[in-house]
Amino acid sequence: MLENSSIGVYAIDRLALGMLGAVIIMVLCNRLAALVYVYAFQSLLLAAIAFFASSGLHAHHLIWMVYLIIIVKVLGIPYMLLRLIDTLTIKREVEPYVKWPISLLAASGLVILAYYIQRDILELHEGVVFNHCLSTSLAVILIGLFLMITRKKAITQMVGLLTMENGVFLGAIVLTSGMPMVIELGMSFDVLVGILIMGVFTFRIKETFASIDTSKLNSLRG
Amino acid sequence: MGSKESFILMNLLLLLGTFSGLILRGSPRICSYVSSAFTALAAVCGLFLSGNILSTGKAFSFNLPGLIPWVDFAFFLDNVAAFFLLIISLLTLAISIYSIGYNEEHYHKRDVGLLCIGINLFILSMIGVVTANSAMIFLIFWETMTLVSYFLVVYEYEKEESVSAGFIYILMAHAGTAFILTAFLLLYRHSGSLDFTAFRTSAGDLPGGLKDLLFVFFFIGFGIKAGIVPLHIWLPKAHPAAPSNVSALMSGVMIKVAVYGLIRMVMDVLGGGSMWWGGVILVVASVSAVFGILYALVENDIKKLLAYSSIENIGIILMGVGASMVFSSVGLHGPALIALTAGLLHALNHALFKGLLFLSAGSVVYSSHARNIEELGGLIKKMPWTALFFLTGAVSICGLPPFNGFVSEWFTFQGLLMGFGALEGGSKVFLPMVAIVLCLSSALAAACFVKAFGITFLAMPRSEHARHALEVPLFMRLGMGILAVLCLLLGVLPQYILGPIGNVASTLIHAEVYVGINGVSSDLFTLAPLKLNLSSFSPQGVFLLLLTLMGGLLLILGIPYKKTVLGETWGCGIPALLPKMEYTATAFSKPFMIIFRDIYDITEDVEKIASPTPLQPHFVRITRYRASVGHIFDRYFYELILQAVMAVSSRMQVIQTGSMHLYLLYIFVTLIVLLFWAR
Amino acid sequence: MLKCLLAIPLVTGCLCLFIKKGRVAELLNLLGASLCFTISILVLTDITKGQPRCDFDGLIYVDALGGFFLFLTLLLSLAISIYSIGYMRQSLNKADLDRYLGRYYFYLNLFILTMILAVTTGNLGILWISIEATTLISTCLVGFYNERTSLEAAWKYLIICAVGITFALFGTTLFYYASLNIPFELRNTLNWYEITRFADRLDPGLTKVAFIFILIGYGTKAGFAPMHTWLPDAHSQAPTPVSALLSGVLLKCALYGILRFYIIAGKCLDAAYLNNLLLTFGIASLVIATFFILIQKDLKRLLAYSSLEHMGIIAAGIGFGGLLGVYGALFHVLNHALVKSLMFFVSGNLSIRYHTKNMENIKGAVETMPLTGTALLLGSFALAGVPPFNIFMSEIAILTAGFSSGNILASCIILVSLVIVFAGIVKHSTAMAFNSPPSGVGRGEIDGWTVLACSILLVPIVILGIYIPNFLDNIFNQSVCIITGEETAWMKEGFSSMK
């Protein structure tokens, strides 16, 4: 656990809010590439949070988390996604189900919900959790899911899923100062493999359906 | 050999019958003989066992070591169970002998082994039902009975008719089981045990509302299996679809097992209840009796006709049971005993004559390969034995002396009519009204079986099938003969069985005092309920009278001395009589169709085909008449339920539209709802 | 021994990938599966005698509950290995058979490995990792045929389960966080057997939310409605042996994950709250499945919805609580796995013989394939809950628990649904088994192996309907004690009061 007074805590709190900001920008993004860049930026913020957490707590294994996040989430996955966008898509728009004003409204609603859950359902206040961390991570998760629900393309769904994972990692790093090392490694490995498999399937879907619009995957019903 | 040994031996023999069916499947003849022999031996064991318990009145219980932690494999045979075991054993004996001959039809065409396995398991499960002493074991055997009989119904599996009949049967039966299960579990919740003994002791302090609910559930659950109207729809489809020996078992025995369940649970375990319970049973029984026989009357398929007639007879059995419950609810043990005895006796009698009728109908189908009686006719000359047996069954079922149907129906009448003297208020009139319904249904039954016998066996053959029919093999005649003799015996000497049945009835209504049935001990030649002077008859007297009359008539007419002269039947000058001049089954039942038009829901179709030559368009050459009888319950009840369920189901399909965004939304919404619920 | 359990599938899988001979891969796989099954029995007998087994510093920790699920996994994977030999050959393209078979067995072994890991691990983090890994690997199996529909199913399966599993990760994090508040030396460990010991000191509010996330997360994987939407797609599109594995084992592994958290949460929360949650999901799954079963045309989708129904019953059984409810639920886990695998095997045989999965075009199975037809009939009656088959017994136990725990309404809903499901399943299966077969359909069984697999499963289905062997009873008893948290409540005593 971090001490409540240190500078690290302050920084972590603000960086977490930055991640929230990033996810709201993702809601507003109209182009696929921009979405991926914002995601990379958000991951970078996550890496910074891990860094501050590692120094603030003497949780030194978290420094490995920082490297891992930078390699996998800031560089690796965004690169792969950009390659995918390059090779696969003709139209590079996000193609949402709902227009951006409504999305923004919904996203802010979800943020309020996340705070509400922290304050009123968990009844956890300062001293137990950081000011914003649990609710921020919850909000990132919820908005990530919202992105997946309202965006049609396979790639946006992947990004949404990754955003959700970022939210979970935020929670894990800040609340528990990281899980045991083996588990962190295993989780990152799983995420990476997951994204690779998704990438492969996106290719196959493109080959078979001539599009990566997942709303066209609707032949299995009833 | 004690009760326990014979119980085990009986079950072992049935299992042996099953396994021999399984092992010897390759050679149908050996399989049929061996397996049926085991079944017959088991039946003998069963007869011995039930006779032992009925005569000594010593109940016995039997426990298997715990195979499943929460199920007690407990069996219990008191005289109620023994009485139903007697019914099962009697029929089993006759049918197993009959089967040896009957199975020949299937040699090398179908798997006779499966039929043997099925019959043995069927009998085993019925014995299990009547001897079970714990709710779980009861249910296991009850459902096994359904399942096995289902497989027997679809024995001719390539026929779509059989498959759909089987489906309706097993679905209805399963729904019934759900009711029974619910009732058991409610009782379990109250008593903390699944044992019938515990149910019985805790039934006294059940809340009134719950008790009523339990009665309703038991009545529906067992009623479905018994085939009461309007829950009967499976019965006329399933019973005829099965092979005839199985039909005899189903109609003769299985529906009695349902009656056993009903009276065991409602009268014995719940210990009877309010008067309206009996009232409900009486109303349903009356409706079943009339509707059953009305549908039987217009039916031309001989096995379907018999199946409908089973519905009528279940009605008559339940009349006795219902009247008994009415009486015992107000503490009138004497009349209650008479009515219940009547019901139980009719259960036994119906098993005998309906078994006989199904077996002889099976013989007819065996020889002629036709089930529609319009295609038969004149079989009395080809198959005199079968005709005689069918006639015996028909006379019994119509309730004519000196056969057994008369005794039990007469007793039922007495039971119902006693209500006039014994009860107060509305029920004073209600019970005699039911007696009137019983009159009506008996009369209609007579008409129905005149048709069934007359059109099938008399006159001339109406088809090639009938023309080439031959008398059935010895074993089949033997099987039918046993039942025919029993029908006569129980009609002439009912006293010997009435005593034990009286005991059974007094066990069921928990009567402290044994109210003897007069005539059993005091006067061999008179049979009367309670009071000799009120109303009585002597079955032996009637029998002797009939014999004397018949002999006298023969003497007076001098038939024994006359030489028989054979000649053509006079045909009003027409050179040769043709089968198409005969009275047909449809024509026979036409007056009834007209009278009961509203009930039958008839669709008629008269087609007139004019002469083909253009000059004579107004001269009708051929007239075709078709009439089909609808089933109002199917149309106004079951169809509606089916449509409703189907409509809901297709509406529900919108959940799974194939859009994964929607699927993700479900997860999202579920999460939010749960988070709010967590507060 | 536990190390062997993890090593064998890994080695077999890799060997299968590199050996370019289909026959060898098949036999190798069968050998591996039988070895693993033998080991699991040894492990299980060891566990039931006394102490749980542990390895790798407690990362691997098997108690009776885990041992039961391990046994289930390996029993089914053995049956599936046998069936695969007969089935995959017929269903795959003949040209490239060896390569495809190698790949198939590679995935299959990895899939089994991840499931073994899920049920043997003592660490909540590894539990999450392995369940996530099951999704990833089984996705490859679901999309194995690489057709339009199978790709669609695989994608949906992957995304929906990934979302679910992310929630589960969050829930795990919250649990970990809650356990950190316990001022003890068990910091920095996610081992459930240690958390369980101190579980009564967890913060209730946090635990509640954490359990909700776990329930939604692993519940998605376990196929609870309304998160079940991937289930019919994935089950119907995967190769049939894999469908059997998904339905028979994978759903149960996810349930196992829920159970582990249920045990922890049960110590610091009101049991009624948790039970109501499970009961709600159970009833929802059951009711939704009911209507889909009734008007289903595709055989494998029918079976998938039936899995949904049975998962609902299991959840309801745990939700009813009490000795009998949990016992019944665990028994039902085993029963459903056996029967559903059998039914999937049968459906595979039928779809190869009739070249269709549409039930309207399958007729007269008892005539064309007598053994498969018989298995179809018996299996579907077992599935519909008719005695003397095993599912009836466990359903009765669950219903009894429902009535005695006072959930009359829920129990009645279950009963009504069961009758409707019965109608649906029996209607479809008897129409397939009986009637006369369409012209042009060949006669005879597909392969001896498929028949062998069916008969291996039929034996326990019939036996368990009337007899629960002592060793199974023992495992169930101990598992029930673990789940309900009662130390020594031996079932025999509990039941003896019932009789």
Side-chain angles (χ1 to χ4, degrees):
Chain A
M1 285 290 293
L2 298 172
E3 307 305 315
N4 238 351
S5 54
S6 69
I7 297 173
V9 171
Y10 180 79
I12 287 173
D13 234 23
R14 293 302 169 265
L15 284 168
L17 282 179
M19 281 184 73
L20 188 57
V23 86
I24 287 179
I25 294 174
M26 287 168 112
V27 170
L28 298 175
C29 276
N30 203 19
R31 302 185 67 81
L32 286 176
L35 197 64
V36 177
Y37 285 127
V38 179
Y39 166 72
F41 173 66
Q42 195 197 34
S43 304
L44 194 64
L45 291 179
L46 186 66
I49 289 175
F51 176 74
F52 280 109
S54 76
S55 59
L57 172 71
H58 321 290
H60 294 295
H61 71 275
L62 270 179
I63 211 76
W64 290 101
M65 265 314 274
V66 178
Y67 299 142
L68 211 61
I69 291 172
I70 288 180
I71 293 169
V72 175
K73 293 192 165 219
V74 181
L75 301 174
I77 292 177
Y79 174 73
M80 206 193 83
L81 287 176
L82 288 175
R83 283 286 308 276
L84 262 183
I85 294 170
D86 267 357
T87 36
L88 291 183
T89 48
I90 305 146
K91 273 178 75 181
R92 305 206 167 174
E93 274 73 43
V94 164
E95 293 189 56
Y97 273 109
V98 283
K99 293 272 180 280
W100 68 265
I102 301 169
S103 295
L104 192 61
L105 211 63
S108 37
L110 290 175
V111 174
I112 294 170
L113 182 74
Y115 273 88
Y116 173 76
I117 288 166
Q118 185 193 336
R119 305 274 153 159
D120 286 353
I121 294 180
L122 292 179
E123 290 169 354
L124 301 174
H125 303 290
E126 286 98 293
V128 185
V129 197
F130 301 100
N131 281 340
H132 301 296
C133 284
L134 182 58
S135 32
T136 314
S137 91
L138 196 54
V140 173
I141 293 173
L142 291 178
I143 297 174
L145 182 54
F146 177 76
L147 275 176
M148 297 182 76
I149 294 172
T150 53
R151 306 296 189 260
K152 286 184 187 167
K153 289 210 165 128
I155 290 178
T156 40
Q157 287 192 329
M158 285 159 73
V159 175
L161 188 66
L162 288 163
T163 311
M164 287 177 75
E165 256 152 12
N166 269 357
V168 177
F169 272 79
L170 171 65
I173 290 168
V174 177
L175 294 178
T176 67
S177 44
M179 306 244 175
M181 193 60 202
V182 187
I183 294 157
E184 290 281 9
L185 272 175
M187 284 175 184
S188 306
F189 180 69
D190 263 6
V191 171
L192 191 64
V193 173
I195 290 299
L196 281 174
I197 292 179
M198 282 179 202
V200 170
F201 269 94
T202 317
F203 263 108
R204 285 207 214 159
I205 287 171
K206 172 76 180 173
E207 273 172 23
T208 321
F209 290 81
S211 152
I212 54 164
D213 184 346
T214 54
S215 65
K216 287 183 183 154
L217 300 176
N218 64 355
S219 62
L220 297 169
R221 337 164 152 227
Chain B
M1 195 164 67
S3 294
K4 188 176 170 182
E5 286 79 11
S6 45
F7 180 72
I8 295 173
L9 184 65
M10 171 179 67
N11 289 318
L12 273 183
L13 283 168
L14 286 172
L15 283 176
L16 276 176
T18 312
F19 285 120
S20 57
L22 196 63
I23 294 164
L24 303 171
R25 270 171 72 185
S27 42
R29 180 175 297 275
I30 300 172
C31 172
S32 169
Y33 273 77
V34 171
S35 181
S36 303
F38 279 127
T39 322
L41 283 174
V44 172
C45 262
L47 283 177
F48 177 80
L49 177 61
S50 56
N52 196 3
I53 292 172
L54 281 175
S55 58
T56 60
K58 268 192 239 153
F60 104 98
S61 63
F62 179 74
N63 270 38
L64 271 178
L67 296 169
I68 289 177
W70 64 90
V71 177
D72 216 356
F73 281 65
F75 298 93
F76 180 71
L77 261 127
D78 58 355
N79 52 9
V80 184
F83 173 67
F84 282 89
L85 181 61
L86 175 74
I87 296 182
I88 297 172
S89 307
L90 280 177
L91 264 274
T92 303
L93 183 63
I95 287 167
S96 56
I97 294 170
Y98 177 89
S99 297
I100 297 175
Y102 180 77
N103 287 346
E104 277 175 29
E105 193 191 349
H106 300 303
Y107 287 175
H108 305 297
K109 277 187 244 160
R110 299 177 179 283
D111 197 335
V112 176
L114 287 182
L115 192 59
C116 294
I117 294 170
I119 286 180
N120 277 297
L121 280 180
F122 188 29
I123 293 163
L124 185 68
S125 54
M126 288 195 289
I127 291 173
V129 170
V130 298
T131 55
N133 196 33
S134 149
M136 276 309 123
I137 204 75
F138 182 92
L139 277 177
I140 291 176
F141 280 116
W142 178 261
E143 276 284 275
T144 310
M145 176 175 88
T146 307
L147 185 65
V148 176
S149 51
Y150 165 78
F151 281 125
L152 291 169
V153 168
V154 293
Y155 184 63
E156 297 173 2
Y157 59 82
E158 74 285 346
K159 292 181 186 159
E160 237 164 80
E161 190 196 351
S162 299
V163 177
S164 80
F167 174 68
I168 293 174
Y169 166 49
I170 196 163
L171 177 59
M172 290 295 286
H174 197 73
T177 310
F179 278 101
I180 299 169
L181 176 62
T182 314
F184 278 156
L185 290 180
L186 285 170
L187 270 169
Y188 163 72
R189 180 170 158 68
H190 198 265
S191 67
S193 163
L194 284 167
D195 203 283
F196 285 165
T197 325
F199 282 178
R200 208 171 283 135
T201 47
S202 74
D205 40 81
L206 281 172
L210 180 62
K211 212 171 170 180
D212 290 345
L213 187 71
L214 287 175
F215 162 70
V216 172
F217 277 16
F218 278 133
F219 188 47
I220 295 175
F222 291 116
I224 287 177
K225 200 64 168 213
I228 57 172
V229 176
L231 305 171
H232 66 288
I233 53 157
W234 61 273
L235 197 149
K237 295 189 172 72
H239 286 196
S244 297
N245 43 0
V246 177
S247 311
L249 270 179
M250 288 179 80
S251 237
V253 189
M254 190 179 72
I255 57 176
K256 309 304 181 307
V257 172
V259 172
Y260 165 80
L262 182 69
I263 58 180
R264 170 67 90 189
M265 287 304 139
V266 173
M267 301 186 81
D268 183 18
V269 170
L270 293 182
S274 335
M275 190 188 264
W276 69 263
W277 293 14
V280 166
I281 293 185
L282 280 175
V283 170
V284 171
S286 313
V287 173
S288 303
V290 173
F291 270 83
I293 198 64
L294 277 178
Y295 280 122
L297 195 47
V298 291
E299 193 52 70
N300 288 344
D301 179 326
I302 190 162
K303 286 176 76 177
K304 266 197 181 159
L305 181 145
L306 294 176
Y308 274 119
S309 142
S310 292
I311 298 173
E312 181 226 348
N313 281 283
I314 276 294
I316 297 175
I317 294 168
L318 287 183
M319 279 178 187
V321 173
S324 159
M325 285 171 64
V326 169
F327 288 128
S328 64
S329 70
V330 291
L332 292 169
H333 288 307
L337 198 64
I338 297 296
L340 190 56
T341 308
L344 291 173
L345 182 61
H346 197 70
L348 173 62
N349 289 342
H350 178 244
L352 295 174
F353 54 66
K354 188 50 63 70
L356 175 60
L357 283 169
F358 260 115
L359 292 187
S360 36
S363 305
V364 170
V365 179
Y366 177 91
S367 314
S368 68
H369 301 285
R371 267 165 50 180
N372 189 344
I373 55 176
E374 300 278 31
E375 295 173 21
L376 299 169
L379 291 181
I380 195 165
K381 296 193 190 87
K382 317 274 183 189
M383 315 167 65
W385 284 103
T386 306
L388 175 66
F389 294 139
F390 192 91
L391 184 63
T392 311
V395 172
S396 306
I397 206 170
C398 296
L400 296 177
F403 289 97
N404 56 355
F406 173 74
V407 181
S408 47
E409 285 193 24
W410 182 78
F411 254 101
T412 313
F413 271 118
Q414 296 304 323
L416 289 169
L417 290 174
M418 259 185 275
F420 188 72
L423 294 168
E424 300 295 322
S427 16
K428 195 181 181 74
V429 197
F430 175 59
L431 261 62
M433 296 276 279
V434 176
I436 294 171
V437 174
L438 179 57
C439 282
L440 174 66
S441 61
S442 304
L444 290 173
C448 173
F449 281 92
V450 166
K451 165 182 158 177
F453 181 76
I455 307 285
T456 311
F457 289 97
L458 303 182
M460 283 191 287
R462 279 181 295 271
S463 71
E464 282 303 305
H465 296 311
R467 212 160 285 132
H468 296 120
L470 291 171
E471 186 55 279
V472 292
L474 178 65
F475 277 118
M476 290 171 77
R477 276 178 281 161
L478 205 58
M480 293 186 279
I482 293 174
L483 292 177
V485 169
L486 281 172
C487 281
L488 183 62
L489 271 183
L490 282 186
V492 179
L493 301 163
Q495 285 92 334
Y496 296 101
I497 192 73
L498 273 171
I501 293 180
N503 286 332
V504 171
S506 62
T507 312
L508 278 169
I509 56 177
H510 301 299
E512 295 291 321
V513 194
Y514 169 67
V515 189
I517 290 173
N518 284 349
V520 176
S521 51
S522 62
D523 188 348
L524 183 67
F525 286 104
T526 335
L527 202 59
L530 298 180
K531 292 176 201 153
L532 269 174
N533 55 356
L534 189 67
S535 52
S536 61
F537 89 103
S538 157
Q540 294 79 15
V542 171
F543 181 60
L544 290 176
L545 189 69
L546 280 174
L547 270 187
T548 323
L549 274 178
M550 204 180 279
L553 214 60
L554 288 178
L555 278 178
I556 290 165
L557 294 176
I559 288 167
Y561 311 113
K562 283 188 181 166
K563 199 170 161 235
T564 316
V565 183
L566 288 174
E568 288 281 312
T569 311
W570 189 61
C572 303
I574 293 169
L577 285 173
L578 295 172
K580 73 181 192 184
M581 296 167 183
E582 287 170 24
Y583 207 17
T584 64
T586 314
F588 188 94
S589 46
K590 178 87 186 186
F592 297 98
M593 280 170 87
I594 293 168
I595 298 169
F596 297 102
R597 173 168 286 275
D598 295 333
I599 293 172
Y600 283 132
D601 193 18
I602 302 167
T603 41
E604 274 177 307
D605 176 26
V606 182
E607 190 186 2
K608 290 183 178 170
I609 299 168
S611 162
T613 46
L615 290 175
Q616 312 164 302
H618 302 293
F619 291 90
V620 174
R621 287 282 296 268
I622 306 164
T623 309
R624 286 208 183 102
Y625 171 79
R626 284 190 208 90
S628 64
V629 175
H631 295 276
I632 49 175
F633 296 106
D634 290 19
R635 196 160 130 199
Y636 297 108
F637 184 64
Y638 292 100
E639 295 269 318
L640 294 183
I641 291 181
L642 188 68
Q643 279 166 13
V645 173
M646 282 312 188
V648 172
S649 297
S650 27
R651 289 277 163 77
M652 293 285 277
Q653 306 297 309
V654 296
I655 292 175
Q656 194 90 6
T657 53
S659 155
M660 65 179 308
H661 300 93
L662 190 64
Y663 298 168
L664 291 172
L665 187 66
Y666 293 156
I667 301 183
F668 191 74
V669 171
T670 315
L671 178 71
I672 307 265
V673 169
L674 281 195
L675 284 176
F676 274 92
W677 188 14
R679 271 195 78 180
Chain C
M1 278 203 293
L2 291 170
K3 282 177 192 150
C4 289
L5 269 184
L6 295 174
I8 292 172
L10 192 64
V11 172
T12 336
C14 293
L15 280 178
C16 288
L17 187 62
F18 292 116
I19 292 174
K20 300 282 183 213
K21 288 224 167 29
R23 269 292 166 220
V24 180
E26 280 164 357
L27 293 177
L28 203 60
N29 179 58
L30 182 60
L31 184 70
S34 0
L35 260 178
C36 280
F37 179 63
T38 321
I39 293 176
S40 84
I41 287 183
L42 292 178
V43 170
L44 200 57
T45 45
D46 216 27
I47 291 166
T48 46
K49 267 183 224 144
Q51 285 299 306
R53 303 271 308 212
C54 98
D55 213 328
F56 286 121
D57 266 352
L59 285 185
I60 298 291
Y61 187 96
V62 191
D63 61 357
L65 182 61
F68 166 64
F69 279 90
L70 180 68
F71 169 71
L72 179 79
T73 309
L74 291 169
L75 173 67
L76 266 286
S77 61
L78 177 62
I80 282 155
S81 300
I82 296 172
Y83 183 74
S84 294
I85 298 177
Y87 178 82
M88 288 315 285
R89 231 153 234 288
Q90 303 282 338
S91 78
L92 279 171
N93 198 352
K94 296 281 180 198
D96 240 356
L97 191 64
D98 283 335
R99 195 161 64 85
Y100 275 110
L101 278 181
R103 215 195 279 171
Y104 168 78
Y105 284 110
F106 171 66
Y107 288 141
L108 187 68
N109 273 295
L110 281 197
F111 187 30
I112 291 169
L113 171 70
T114 51
M115 289 193 291
I116 293 176
L117 187 62
V119 296
T120 53
T121 182
N123 188 298
L124 294 177
I126 307 248
L127 177 68
W128 182 86
I129 291 170
S130 49
I131 290 186
E132 164 79 355
T134 56
T135 313
L136 299 179
I137 292 169
S138 51
T139 305
C140 300
L141 284 167
V142 171
F144 192 71
Y145 290 133
N146 214 358
E147 289 156 3
R148 272 179 89 92
T149 44
S150 58
L151 273 182
E152 178 183 339
W155 181 259
K156 284 178 178 170
Y157 172 50
L158 183 58
I159 291 292
I160 291 172
C161 284
V163 167
I165 218 81
T166 310
F167 282 136
L169 181 58
F170 192 64
T172 312
T173 312
L174 289 181
F175 259 107
Y176 186 44
Y177 177 54
S179 77
L180 288 180
N181 286 339
I182 302 169
F184 257 100
E185 70 285 354
L186 87 163
R187 275 175 174 240
N188 283 333
T189 168
L190 257 172
N191 291 348
W192 48 255
Y193 51 91
E194 288 181 36
I195 297 179
T196 312
R197 269 192 285 156
F198 303 102
D200 46 345
R201 283 186 245 164
L202 296 177
D203 176 53
L206 204 53
T207 314
K208 221 182 226 184
V209 175
F211 186 71
I212 287 174
F213 275 98
I214 289 292
L215 193 57
I216 302 241
Y218 289 142
T220 306
K221 206 80 212 280
F224 290 158
M227 295 91 74
H228 68 284
T229 43
W230 60 272
L231 195 147
D233 297 352
H235 282 57
S236 62
Q237 297 306 320
T240 300
V242 178
S243 310
L245 209 53
L246 286 175
S247 188
V249 188
L250 181 64
L251 300 182
K252 312 303 187 314
C253 286
L255 181 79
Y256 171 79
I258 295 175
L259 279 179
R260 280 293 168 212
F261 286 96
Y262 172 85
I263 295 166
I264 298 172
K267 296 220 166 165
C268 72
L269 291 180
D270 186 15
Y273 172 77
L274 296 178
N275 287 346
N276 280 340
L277 270 180
L278 278 171
L279 191 57
T280 314
F281 274 115
I283 300 287
S285 311
L286 180 62
V287 170
I288 287 182
T290 301
F291 290 107
F292 281 89
I293 286 175
L294 207 52
I295 50 172
Q296 193 53 253
K297 292 200 173 63
D298 183 307
L299 176 53
K300 283 176 80 179
R301 285 181 90 81
L302 175 88
L303 296 178
Y305 279 112
S306 152
S307 294
L308 178 61
E309 175 225 340
H310 284 284
M311 287 311 288
I313 294 174
I314 292 166
I318 296 165
F320 286 145
L323 300 177
L324 196 59
V326 179
Y327 191 107
L330 287 178
F331 190 28
H332 201 81
V333 165
L334 176 64
N335 293 343
H336 172 243
L338 291 170
V339 176
K340 188 49 65 64
S341 305
L342 173 70
M343 287 304 285
F344 268 117
F345 292 173
V346 168
S347 82
N349 291 354
L350 290 177
S351 60
I352 283 185
R353 172 61 66 224
Y354 289 83
H355 307 288
T356 176
K357 285 189 297 181
N358 188 339
M359 289 183 281
E360 282 163 8
N361 300 335
I362 301 177
K363 279 192 163 60
V366 287
E367 208 167 307
T368 51
M369 326 164 76
L371 292 168
T372 304
T374 312
L376 168 69
L377 280 176
L378 297 181
S380 50
F381 277 112
L383 197 61
V386 175
F389 301 112
N390 53 0
I391 282 188
F392 172 79
M393 280 334 293
S394 45
E395 279 178 357
I396 286 289
I398 289 167
L399 281 171
T400 313
F403 271 87
S404 60
S405 68
N407 293 301
I408 307 282
L409 180 66
S411 314
C412 287
I413 294 175
I414 294 180
L415 256 173
V416 173
S417 302
L418 282 179
V419 172
I420 301 178
V421 166
F422 175 89
I425 289 181
V426 170
K427 174 92 187 157
H428 291 309
S429 65
T430 52
M432 285 187 290
F434 297 136
N435 297 325
S436 3
S439 55
V441 173
R443 298 292 153 105
E445 300 292 339
I446 297 170
D447 194 303
W449 291 102
T450 60
V451 175
L452 178 66
C454 288
S455 10
I456 284 179
L457 290 177
L458 259 179
V459 173
I461 289 172
V462 175
I463 289 179
L464 288 178
I466 44 170
Y467 174 58
I468 299 175
N470 233 345
F471 88 97
L472 260 183
D473 189 38
N474 221 340
I475 298 163
F476 286 138
N477 282 329
Q478 295 188 13
S479 308
V480 169
C481 289
I482 291 168
I483 292 174
T484 53
E486 281 163 53
E487 300 288 324
T488 50
W490 280 93
M491 300 294 289
K492 294 267 188 243
E493 292 158 30
F495 286 134
S496 65
S497 69
M498 224 181 82
K499 282 179 187 170

